[in-house]
Amino acid sequence: MADRRTKGDLLERKIDVCFGHVDVDGDGFFDEADVLAMAARIIAHQNIPIDSAPAVGLFKSYQEFMHNILEHLDVDGDGRINPEEWRKGIIGVFGDHPERFDALFRPLAEAIWRVCDRDGDGTVSAEEFLCFQKAMGSSPENRRLAFEKLDVNGDGSLSV
């Protein structure tokens, strides 16, 4: 029998993979320790000083992101997000209200881009992006694929 997966199933699988990336310590929850670890990994992989303005900005942005995402997704109020809260929240809170997604995720994306844009040209090259994806734990194949999918105009660089 053919595998018949719906668009919703694919979306949930993608969201679950994303949860696997944000749950840095693998304890089954997305929490403050994970956001700080993510920021540190990105900074280390981009080889920038931890006390530089972009690095400090990234730590602050991740902490603010965590505070804000807890408001939307932490249903049980325990200060951390489990996979079910993540999945339901991303689909329900942000799927129905894309403006919330932009308001919550864009400041973090901008902070990440400031760290990843090592040459300061305002864009992230394939090399800079692949380094970021490595920090996030993506496989080499998925890093390359992600860049190709995100580089919609084919110019070899990404903007926020």
Side-chain angles (χ1 to χ4, degrees), residues 23-40:
D23 179 18
V24 175
D25 60 14
D27 68 354
F29 297 96
F30 178 46
D31 57 23
E32 186 79 16
D34 292 313
V35 297
L36 295 176
M38 274 192 287

Side-chain angles (χ1 to χ4, degrees), residues 62-78:
Y62 261 113
Q63 286 182 306
E64 184 174 319
F65 171 78
M66 188 70 206
H67 171 77
N68 291 332
I69 202 132
L70 283 171
E71 285 183 24
H72 294 287
L73 304 186
D74 184 19
V75 175
D76 61 12
D78 66 354

Side-chain angles (χ1 to χ4, degrees), residues 52-64:
S52 67
V56 171
L58 185 62
F59 277 112
K60 288 181 180 179
S61 291
Y62 261 113
Q63 286 182 306
E64 184 174 319

